[in-house]
Amino acid sequence: MTATNHRFSADYGAFPAVNEWLGVQGGALAISPDIAFKIELCVEEIVTNTIKYGFGDDPAAGGWIEIGLVVEEGRVELRFTDNAPLFNPLAQEQHAPPASLEGAPIGGLGILLVRELSQSVRYDCAEGQNVLAISFCPPAPRAGGQKAVGCD
């Protein structure tokens, strides 16, 4: 098992540092390009929502978001810990996928996106902090040479 984490200030100005850190860590941990792309999308969604809703877009709020990566036997866990007010995004009403782009609501689809991109998502409150863990699995070979995502 290999693990790494880094704490960032909860403001939009941290995105360049977040993206740079993800790129360096993804290479160092040999994360596949497919999983790295999914991780980038999830990080963008979760960090943006934490800044916007958890800290009210206020960089002076003293907020932070810690992002961690754990790689074990090809599986990758992306973990977010923050000091925003406690909030379980998985307990909120989930929207059905829109039938068309025109019919898609503005907002409310971020967790649906994260769930679609990952193998599993779980929330916990630890020591008064929000912890969101998102797991990704490498593609598993399927009969006939097709690929499918799945963990053993």
Side-chain angles (χ1 to χ4, degrees), residues 78-137:
L78 173 64
R79 182 177 292 228
F80 297 90
T81 305
D82 66 63
N83 66 335
L86 297 180
F87 176 75
N88 180 354
L90 305 179
Q92 306 311 304
E93 180 181 345
Q94 298 300 305
H95 297 283
S100 68
L101 186 57
E102 294 80 24
I106 296 175
L109 296 174
I111 288 298
L112 176 64
L113 172 70
V114 169
R115 286 182 172 177
E116 289 294 319
L117 292 172
S118 64
Q119 192 70 26
S120 68
V121 183
R122 60 186 195 282
Y123 171 85
D124 192 19
C125 169
E127 298 176 11
Q129 299 167 350
N130 295 295
V131 180
L132 189 67
I134 305 167
S135 297
F136 303 89
C137 298

Side-chain angles (χ1 to χ4, degrees), residues 16-105:
V18 168
N19 291 330
E20 180 180 347
W21 181 83
L22 282 174
V24 169
Q25 298 310 313
L29 297 172
I31 295 173
S32 74
D34 177 56
I35 293 177
F37 177 71
K38 292 175 182 180
I39 287 172
E40 289 174 22
L41 289 174
C42 291
V43 167
E44 177 83 21
E45 181 63 31
I46 300 302
V47 171
T48 297
N49 284 348
T50 302
I51 293 168
K52 185 174 184 177
Y53 301 110
F55 297 106
D57 283 332
D58 183 4
W64 52 263
I65 302 167
E66 187 170 285
I67 303 173
L69 291 167
V70 178
V71 178
E72 185 170 22
E73 298 178 10
R75 299 173 192 196
V76 179
E77 181 175 274
L78 173 64
R79 182 177 292 228
F80 297 90
T81 305
D82 66 63
N83 66 335
L86 297 180
F87 176 75
N88 180 354
L90 305 179
Q92 306 311 304
E93 180 181 345
Q94 298 300 305
H95 297 283
S100 68
L101 186 57
E102 294 80 24

